[in-house]
Amino acid sequence: MRFQSSHSPKLMSAHSTPSENSSSIWSLINKIVGVVMGGVVLLWVAAFIWDGLYSLRVKPKAEATAPGAAAPATPAATAAAPAAPAANLPLLEVTIKPDAANPLAYDTKTISAKAGQKIKLTFNNTHPTVPQPHNIVVGKLGTKDKASAIATSGMTLADKGFIPDSPDILAHTKLLQSGQSETIEFTVPAAGEYPFFCTFPGHFLMMNGVITVQ
């Protein structure tokens, strides 16, 4: 007589082995770790994108100046701004001639004026000894250090009264012989120093002066 086993194949498959249970646990742990790592990566990417977008935000404009209010002046702008001309300044009349003690120098070497003032300058060539021609050339503001170069550049210009065609010249008389006179008028627009000098060859070294404008 043959006996059948009390355990059927179906019953045997219903029970899992220890190795299968261990594999399931590790699989679950791997999934959890993967989810956590994926979340960290997503957070990092989101933070990177947000930071990049934030850096591209529109910067707020500087506070606007209220209507009618003057904008604050920068130091450079303040230094470059000329002094405002005083209102109703009188005409400044000056007469210059060769110095009696040293005819190769002017008798007036300094002139004071106000910014925006008009000057009426008369030069009388009253050279007392051997006749010497002279002139007066007035340099523009800030040309005091260029005065020698301006005078030198006119040394060969006898047909022009030894006066160069220079943008640094504000006004000038013609070359005047002994006994001649000429009057010129010009305005000193801003505060500073305006040199004046004779451009006849050799005269500049002693025949010079300065207009100081305040």
Side-chain angles (χ1 to χ4, degrees):
M1 179 181 288
R2 299 178 65 183
F3 294 94
Q4 292 181 348
S5 171
S6 61
H7 300 287
S8 65
K10 293 181 179 180
L11 292 176
M12 290 292 292
S13 62
H15 298 281
S16 58
T17 62
S19 62
E20 290 176 344
N21 291 335
S22 177
S23 298
S24 298
I25 292 172
W26 281 111
S27 177
L28 179 62
I29 293 174
N30 287 335
K31 289 180 180 180
I32 293 173
V33 171
V35 170
V36 173
M37 292 298 295
V40 172
V41 171
L42 287 175
L43 289 174
W44 182 82
V45 172
F48 180 79
I49 294 174
W50 173 255
D51 186 65
L53 292 175
Y54 187 74
S55 66
L56 296 175
R57 73 192 188 283
V58 178
K59 305 295 189 301
K61 293 183 179 180
E63 184 177 352
T65 304
T74 61
T78 303
N88 302 320
L89 287 171
L91 176 67
L92 178 61
E93 297 188 57
V94 181
T95 298
I96 298 177
K97 56 185 182 295
D99 186 76
N102 179 13
L104 291 180
Y106 296 126
D107 68 339
T108 300
K109 298 176 178 61
T110 59
I111 301 171
S112 297
K114 298 291 184 182
Q117 190 167 24
K118 188 173 185 178
I119 299 176
K120 183 177 181 180
L121 189 155
T122 299
F123 178 56
N124 291 327
N125 186 4
T126 56
H127 202 288
T129 55
V130 178
Q132 285 283 331
H134 300 297
N135 61 25
I136 288 185
V137 174
V138 181
K140 290 184 178 179
L141 176 65
T143 59
K144 186 176 180 181
D145 293 338
K146 298 180 180 180
S148 177
I150 296 171
T152 301
S153 66
M155 289 182 64
T156 61
L157 304 177
D159 57 330
K160 295 183 178 181
F162 302 100
I163 299 171
D165 182 15
S166 171
D168 292 322
I169 293 176
L170 179 63
H172 65 83
T173 69
K174 61 179 179 289
L175 188 67
L176 300 173
Q177 301 297 328
S178 182
Q180 292 182 324
S181 176
E182 184 179 357
T183 299
I184 57 175
E185 294 185 8
F186 56 93
T187 300
V188 283
E193 293 183 327
Y194 299 73
F196 62 90
F197 45 89
C198 178
T199 59
F200 187 82
H203 288 189
F204 166 80
L205 291 177
M206 291 186 291
M207 212 163 198
N208 59 74
V210 64
I211 303 171
T212 301
V213 179
Q214 298 177 343

